[in-house]
Amino acid sequence: MATVLMCRRLPRLSRVTAISTTAKRGSSKSKKEKRAKPGAAKTGTQSGATIQLLKPQDYRVLYNPAAYAKGRAGSQQHGDRDSSQALGDVFTSPGAAQAPQTFPTASSQALSPVRSALPKPKSTLLEQTVLCKEAAEKEKREVHDSKEDPRTFQKGRPEYRALTCDSAEPAQPLPAEEGDRILQSVAGCEGSPGVLTDYFLKLSRLPAERRAALGSDARFSALCHRAVVAIRLFSTPDLIHILKACVPLAVPASHPLLNACEAEFCRRAWDMGLEQLLLVADCWRCLDRSVPSYLGILFSYANLHWKDLTLPQFVQLLYIIGEGRRSPADLAQKVESTILKHLDTFTLEELGAICLGLFKSLSGISEHVMRRIADRVSLQMEDMSTYALVNVLKMLRYARMDHLPLMRELGRVIPARIPATNIQGIMHIALTYSSLHFFDEDVLAAVATSLPSKVSYCRSKDAAKFLWSFGCLDYEPPNEEEFYSSLIKQLHAKLHEFSKFPEHLLTALLGLAFVKRFPEELIDFALREEFVQKTRGSKYELNKDLFTLGKSVEIECPTYQGSQLTPQLCQEFTEMVSSFAEREIYVRPEIVEATSLLESMLGGPEYVKSHMILPHTRSSDLEVRLSADGRPIPFNFKDPVAAKKLRDMGVNLTDDLMSQLLQGRAHNQSPTEVGNEARIPSQERGDTTCMGGALPAGATSQAEPKAGLWQPGEVRLALQVSNRNHFCYGSRRLLGLHCLKRRQLRLLGYAVVELPFWEWFPLLKRTRSEKLSYLHYKVFCPALLTRA
């Protein structure tokens, strides 16, 4: 059969070739590595045909609960610049960026492979009808309502009817003729509160198209004016009726009638009941009007009457707190105690609403309370809607708390739901895994499989978070070319958004850099002076992200000729990162101990330097230099005088000292005190370590100190004192930033030597001889010299 070659033109993309020591990625991960991941679900991923929907020009992502329908319905979530820290010693998670410009889609090197496909027979009318129906259903799943989706929990108890404004269509709509009669009578009525209230209630029952026309009707404006004039004459129930009627009437948030209503409700709030206050607050939410003064009164009232709150009132209050994006500090402790009090009584949807309210209002929550919530969710996840579940994940992420049972159950339940979940819900799922550094290949593969067909619904933020999440976990999925090319194409399509949200572009480009992908047009745009200035004015700290991106391109893309950071900016960023490192990194016990012991073993501080070889990677290194025959070279000099004094000086390694180093035993130790660490076979320690490499007895280092110059035959070691935050949760899988760092060190000629925390940290409690033996084992390795 004939084969038709199909080739898409993609943005220029530099793809760095992995060096020989880099493990293969994606689906070819070793079985041993897959066993190392915690809580991996065993469910497989199914492949099948997908329908690629073209995104309508006027499509807008809103925010809807139906999309997160239980089990197999879609769902949605709002996003945030996640605080995924601890990728490195000084690393903060990026966000997104936007800027008004488009790039050509010309392709150059390292593009997606040419794809082939068999000719497809013409589809029948029935097949076309089925495809159109499926496309329509898919389109429906991606339509969201930011006002209705978070309110699903209100359908679980009848008590919410008294606390909420029902925006559903009236059961008995008012005939259009009756509406005209009411409007005609406005001019002649005396404007009594009861009559005006009745008019508003009746007009709110008009058919939707007729209500939409009221905004430009002078008679309706006259009715609103009469209500404003008589505002203080209304009883509180009548005033609430008018406010509720304004919701289906779609009165604009800035309308004079709403101004008058807000002022009046603030004036009489302390004479109202909690049920009425919550109902009015819900009306303001449905009208999309910001009312900080009213909410302040509501929160103060609730604080005074906290013991009177029923369970539905408490959940509704947290919903209002979240929608108002305000976190009353004086309620924090009461909120936690109430959550614990009713924890077993809340419905699962209410638990989701509570977590969303806390998340939106940036409310802190204790680990104890969050763990109790996670305990219950992990036991009942099957019965929880995806929408509510994603809300719990948001709060788990915000609390930066690991909960292994929940993550394991999530890995079992969520892959099958992902195809029916909307794009923002999927983004929050992926972001939870990356933020918690939790690697689950089944979940990530399911996300990657579903994303290309939904990518047109990605906001710039969503695309950035997907790229960040996969890059952070250093995961390239089986469909990596389709996955990455679709997201890069979406970044180009959303380029106009980056001027308002510069953090998103940096998030995306860093995520790509972690997995050795460098779209040059986008990088050129991000490093231009005008865009750099936008990042400087952002509410987020983006300097470190810019620095990491700029220097990574410099090292890994030698043919790149686009915009670059200025030397002045690089110097500023270096000083900023170095200042932090001196305060927070170099003083860590595990680094101080390794530095001191290496100095003792090699001959003094001149032979070791604790610093950041690559400041843009934001973590420290212990640099050691060896001559071609394995002798240490002094290079770390504070001043020229010290350098002169050390000329022709070296380290005398006697037989006795060698015996101590290799056998891990000092004169005052008994054989039983000798540690076992130095006897671990090299293949169990990793490919950068081996036994041997000791200098002969009496040998000395005679190297002339020339710091900064690379001497012929010189081997430079970059010792990595790692910690748990450098790896995925419960595994030995390095995170993306640290993979990038080691890759770049090797590109610059360094031999990377790991002092992994699972080896080094236990040794900190052992004898000095054992630690020295271990460090000698790491430093003097013939394989390193041979490879170098």
Side-chain angles (χ1 to χ4, degrees):
M1 297 179 68
T3 301
V4 179
L5 295 181
M6 304 173 64
C7 182
R8 293 185 295 179
R9 291 174 65 81
L10 296 172
R12 177 177 173 84
L13 180 71
S14 290
R15 180 67 192 273
V16 177
T17 304
I19 59 177
S20 59
T21 56
T22 303
K24 258 189 155 183
R25 301 171 176 276
S27 58
S28 60
K29 297 285 184 186
S30 68
K31 291 181 180 180
K32 179 180 178 181
E33 185 177 54
K34 186 164 183 176
R35 283 197 304 269
K37 70 175 182 175
K42 300 302 179 187
T43 56
T45 56
Q46 296 180 351
S47 61
T50 57
I51 302 170
Q52 176 67 53
L53 295 181
L54 296 178
K55 182 176 178 180
Q57 290 295 321
D58 59 347
Y59 178 81
R60 296 178 61 193
V61 176
L62 297 172
Y63 186 45
N64 189 323
Y68 283 100
K70 177 179 176 181
R72 295 165 183 75
S75 172
Q76 175 278 340
Q77 290 281 343
H78 93 299
D80 65 311
R81 176 173 171 86
D82 188 71
S83 57
S84 1
Q85 222 161 335
L87 273 182
D89 293 306
V90 197
F91 202 70
T92 52
S93 159
Q98 300 139 344
Q101 183 166 352
T102 57
F103 289 129
T105 56
S107 61
S108 67
Q109 72 258 39
L111 299 179
S112 303
V114 176
R115 302 177 187 275
S116 61
L118 296 177
K120 296 180 181 179
K122 291 184 179 180
S123 57
T124 64
L125 180 60
L126 176 60
E127 289 172 335
Q128 292 176 354
T129 303
V130 171
L131 289 174
C132 289
K133 184 175 180 180
E134 290 176 353
E137 287 300 313
K138 187 175 181 181
E139 181 82 26
K140 185 177 180 181
R141 283 203 300 265
E142 291 294 339
V143 175
H144 320 297
D145 186 336
S146 61
K147 294 178 183 176
E148 288 302 316
D149 283 4
R151 302 165 66 85
T152 305
F153 72 94
Q154 296 168 351
K155 298 177 174 60
R157 297 180 192 268
E159 294 92 330
Y160 285 111
R161 294 173 190 166
L163 307 174
T164 60
C165 178
D166 185 5
S167 59
E169 289 295 310
Q172 295 181 337
L174 190 74
E177 304 78 32
E178 181 67 12
D180 287 332
R181 187 192 66 77
I182 291 173
L183 293 173
Q184 288 291 352
S185 63
V186 169
C189 79
E190 298 179 358
S192 65
V195 173
L196 294 176
T197 301
D198 187 59
Y199 284 174
F200 276 101
L201 290 175
K202 287 181 176 179
L203 291 175
S204 70
R205 291 167 45 210
L206 284 170
E209 62 278 4
R210 187 69 187 90
R211 295 199 307 270
L214 290 178
S216 57
D217 194 316
R219 297 170 298 177
F220 182 70
S221 297
L223 176 63
C224 292
H225 177 71
R226 286 182 177 273
V228 170
V229 172
I231 197 73
R232 293 206 173 186
L233 301 178
F234 290 100
S235 67
T236 297
D238 282 347
L239 195 58
I240 292 175
H241 283 314
I242 290 177
L243 188 64
K244 287 181 66 176
C246 287
V247 175
L249 290 171
V251 176
S254 58
H255 196 281
L257 175 58
L258 298 186
N259 294 340
C261 285
E262 180 185 355
E264 186 61 18
F265 278 121
C266 286
R267 189 184 69 83
R268 62 175 78 180
W270 289 101
D271 297 323
M272 296 164 60
L274 189 56
E275 187 175 275
Q276 291 177 320
L277 289 170
L278 289 170
L279 173 57
V280 170
D282 198 61
C283 291
W284 293 131
R285 169 58 189 142
C286 293
L287 288 164
D288 203 21
R289 180 181 170 96
S290 176
V291 287
S293 297
Y294 178 84
L295 292 183
I297 297 172
L298 168 63
F299 300 152
S300 297
Y301 188 102
N303 193 25
L304 288 175
H305 298 82
W306 194 263
K307 293 182 179 179
D308 300 328
L309 258 69
T310 63
L311 185 151
Q313 288 174 344
F314 170 73
V315 179
Q316 180 67 14
L317 177 64
L318 280 188
Y319 164 74
I320 295 298
I321 287 174
E323 297 306 304
R325 305 302 199 273
R326 288 191 57 191
S327 175
D330 53 348
L331 293 183
Q333 189 59 46
K334 293 181 178 179
V335 166
E336 290 203 357
S337 61
T338 305
I339 290 175
L340 293 176
K341 176 183 175 182
H342 297 294
L343 185 59
D344 295 329
T345 311
F346 292 127
T347 66
L348 294 171
E349 300 308 303
E350 285 173 333
L351 272 181
I354 289 169
C355 287
L356 182 60
L358 294 171
F359 177 77
K360 283 186 172 183
S361 61
L362 301 180
S363 301
I365 187 171
S366 69
E367 180 175 333
H368 172 67
V369 175
M370 191 64 233
R371 194 165 294 281
R372 289 286 305 278
I373 293 174
D375 287 341
R376 184 176 170 201
V377 170
S378 64
L379 294 175
Q380 297 180 279
M381 193 177 294
E382 289 271 17
D383 302 322
M384 198 171 196
S385 74
T386 308
Y387 181 79
L389 176 57
V390 169
N391 289 338
V392 173
L393 296 183
K394 288 180 179 181
M395 200 57 205
L396 193 74
R397 188 176 84 224
Y398 182 75
R400 298 205 59 77
M401 191 195 80
D402 61 277
H403 193 282
L404 196 55
L406 185 145
M407 297 304 292
R408 283 177 171 164
E409 182 68 3
L410 187 67
R412 187 184 69 83
V413 169
I414 208 64
R417 295 191 185 188
I418 283 175
T421 302
N422 89 21
I423 202 69
Q424 290 181 26
I426 298 174
M427 179 271 285
H428 280 289
I429 292 168
L431 191 57
T432 297
Y433 278 87
S434 66
S435 297
L436 300 180
H437 300 168
F438 199 97
F439 180 80
D440 188 315
E441 187 167 5
D442 294 330
V443 173
L444 295 176
V447 169
T449 300
S450 295
L451 189 130
S453 63
K454 298 170 178 275
V455 75
S456 60
Y457 298 107
C458 282
R459 304 164 299 173
S460 60
K461 177 179 187 175
D462 301 322
K465 297 297 188 183
F466 279 121
L467 290 170
W468 168 260
S469 297
F470 278 64
C472 168
L473 297 172
D474 188 42
Y475 177 66
E476 292 192 276
N479 64 333
E480 61 179 277
E481 293 303 332
E482 182 185 22
F483 175 81
Y484 282 110
S485 63
S486 65
L487 283 169
I488 291 171
K489 183 178 178 181
Q490 187 68 1
L491 291 179
H492 282 267
K494 293 295 182 181
L495 202 61
H496 61 281
E497 297 181 14
F498 292 140
S499 59
K500 186 176 180 182
F501 305 108
E503 64 273 13
H504 296 325
L505 183 57
L506 294 182
T507 295
L509 293 178
L510 279 180
L512 287 166
F514 292 161
V515 290
K516 305 191 296 288
R517 293 176 182 266
F518 297 88
E520 294 188 359
E521 292 90 348
L522 291 172
I523 290 170
D524 174 65
F525 181 81
L527 298 182
R528 290 178 190 171
E529 177 62 26
E530 52 269 34
F531 185 82
V532 170
Q533 290 305 315
K534 290 183 182 298
T535 66
R536 307 278 273 178
S538 171
K539 64 180 179 179
Y540 300 111
E541 168 51 59
L542 303 179
N543 291 337
K544 293 189 288 291
D545 299 342
L546 263 178
F547 190 30
T548 302
L549 177 64
K551 299 302 286 186
S552 294
V553 171
E554 199 176 293
I555 295 171
E556 300 205 47
C557 302
T559 62
Y560 171 76
Q561 297 180 342
S563 303
Q564 295 182 335
L565 297 178
T566 65
Q568 294 81 3
L569 268 182
C570 289
Q571 180 61 30
E572 177 188 333
F573 296 159
T574 299
E575 292 173 357
M576 172 187 66
V577 174
S578 298
S579 175
F580 178 88
E582 289 173 0
R583 298 191 314 269
E584 303 290 340
I585 301 178
Y586 303 149
V587 296
R588 292 177 180 172
E590 66 272 18
I591 294 176
V592 172
E593 181 80 349
T595 305
S596 173
L597 290 167
L598 283 170
E599 290 174 354
S600 174
M601 183 178 79
L602 299 175
E606 300 79 18
Y607 293 87
V608 185
K609 187 173 183 180
S610 177
H611 68 132
M612 288 185 289
I613 298 173
L614 302 177
H616 64 279
T617 61
R618 313 162 204 180
S619 57
S620 67
D621 313 89
L622 296 178
E623 185 174 356
V624 172
R625 300 184 188 179
L626 304 176
S627 62
D629 58 357
R631 292 181 298 175
I633 300 174
F635 68 97
N636 183 28
F637 303 110
K638 306 291 183 182
D639 54 67
V641 176
K644 187 174 181 180
K645 287 182 178 179
L646 279 162
R647 183 173 301 181
D648 298 328
M649 293 179 63
V651 185
N652 292 316
L653 297 180
T654 64
D655 290 331
D656 187 55
L657 178 57
M658 285 303 303
S659 176
Q660 293 177 34
L661 291 176
L662 291 177
Q663 298 179 26
R665 182 170 61 190
H667 288 301
N668 58 354
Q669 283 184 287
S670 66
T672 57
E673 295 174 318
V674 176
N676 296 320
E677 192 69 28
R679 297 185 178 86
I680 299 175
S682 59
Q683 61 268 28
E684 294 181 21
R685 288 182 174 273
D687 62 358
T688 60
T689 61
C690 65
M691 287 296 290
L695 296 179
T700 60
S701 170
Q702 305 292 338
E704 177 78 10
K706 292 183 179 179
L709 297 179
W710 207 296
Q711 303 299 315
E714 179 179 287
V715 179
R716 294 194 178 186
L717 307 182
L719 281 76
Q720 309 297 303
V721 183
S722 63
N723 60 58
R724 285 179 174 80
N725 285 337
H726 295 178
F727 297 85
C728 291
Y729 179 90
S731 77
R732 299 181 181 183
R733 182 190 184 93
L734 273 174
L735 294 170
L737 176 65
H738 302 286
C739 290
L740 172 143
K741 174 185 176 179
R742 285 151 178 74
R743 185 172 73 235
Q744 292 179 5
L745 285 170
R746 293 186 180 104
L747 286 172
L748 293 176
Y750 283 88
V752 177
V753 178
E754 294 283 352
L755 304 184
F757 71 88
W758 58 85
E759 292 178 356
W760 181 238
F761 280 40
L763 270 177
L764 294 177
K765 300 177 182 178
R766 306 292 287 272
T767 66
R768 177 180 174 84
S769 292
E770 289 174 292
K771 288 180 276 194
L772 284 170
S773 179
Y774 173 80
L775 291 174
H776 185 276
Y777 175 93
K778 290 287 186 176
V779 171
F780 296 106
C781 178
L784 290 175
L785 298 175
T786 303
R787 193 179 307 145

